[in-house]
Amino acid sequence: MNTRVNDEPAGGSLTDLAYLLLRDRLVMLEIKPGEPINEDRLRTEFNLGRTPIREALKRLEQERLVVAFPRRGTFATDVNISDLSHISEVRRTLEPLAAAAAAERATSEDRAGLTELRSQLDTATPSGDNTELLRTDVGVHRAIYRCVHNPFLEDTLISYDNLATRIWCVFLPRLSGMAGHVDEHGPLLTAIVEGDAEKASELATQHVVGFERAIRALI
């Protein structure tokens, strides 16, 4: 199965490209919390100019993924477990709302795409790689968010899912049952495809609550 975390910019700008590449490295902790952001290295690696990198970093700072200090530079933000309750509070409200909206608003094309994604989940070879499983989890969430057809809500959902995912990454080596967490998406996708807003909302709530419970069990 090949569910990618990052979304390729459809006709987007170089800043969009830089943003997406950097965002998902930060989300998956490939750039470690507290690590300095080396702009020169990123320009070489991404083959992009100074302006796209700097504009991307400004956006990422607004999303709490990097922090800039005068005369010191820009750094990946720390992951604070104390933020878990605040992030979960927002997600317990927004994720069920998004799932219900997706069930009601998804186009025929959207439903076909989610059906294909569900088939990929059903036929995927079981993996013991928690990092790959987490990438799949993120990819499914973003596919659902696109079906809401509200760009403001979609951006907010992605932002909070990113922050939650960073917490997941901290605990990945100690987490068990990650495959089961990802498998929960099958019934959720089915509910959205079938237009069952109430069921989709209920399943999304269970998913978010399960995330918080799994992390708290390790704290």
Side-chain angles (χ1 to χ4, degrees), residues 138-184:
V138 173
V140 173
H141 277 275
R142 292 182 186 173
I144 293 172
Y145 300 158
R146 285 191 291 271
C147 297
V148 174
H149 295 287
N150 179 331
F152 300 100
L153 180 55
E154 182 179 358
D155 285 348
T156 303
L157 288 160
I158 290 174
S159 179
Y160 280 95
D161 188 57
N162 287 342
L163 295 174
T165 299
R166 296 185 88 218
I167 294 177
W168 266 120
C169 284
V170 169
F171 289 94
L172 272 184
R174 298 166 54 195
L175 277 170
S176 61
M178 189 67 195
H181 182 80
V182 174
D183 287 343
E184 292 174 4

Side-chain angles (χ1 to χ4, degrees), residues 34-105:
E35 183 177 331
I37 306 298
N38 187 318
E39 293 186 26
D40 291 335
R41 185 170 63 196
L42 291 174
R43 288 202 303 272
T44 299
E45 187 174 348
F46 296 163
N47 194 27
L48 294 172
R50 183 183 303 273
T51 298
I53 298 293
R54 291 195 169 175
E55 290 300 316
L57 288 171
K58 288 179 183 177
R59 184 173 172 186
L60 291 164
E61 185 172 20
Q62 293 175 342
E63 296 178 7
R64 300 175 183 265
L65 293 176
V66 302
V67 59
F69 297 102
R71 295 179 297 279
R72 286 184 55 199
T74 302
F75 299 79
T77 52
D78 290 331
V79 176
N80 296 312
I81 305 307
S82 59
D83 292 337
L84 176 63
S85 60
H86 301 303
I87 294 169
S88 295
E89 181 179 20
V90 176
R91 295 185 74 227
R92 284 195 301 271
T93 299
L94 294 186
E95 292 284 346
L97 173 67
E104 293 170 346
R105 301 174 187 172

Side-chain angles (χ1 to χ4, degrees), residues 7-29:
D7 309 298
E8 295 296 337
S13 67
L14 293 177
T15 296
D16 292 333
L17 177 60
Y19 164 77
L20 291 173
L21 291 170
L22 270 170
R23 180 193 67 183
D24 289 323
R25 290 190 180 192
L26 290 159
V27 169
M28 298 302 297
L29 303 192

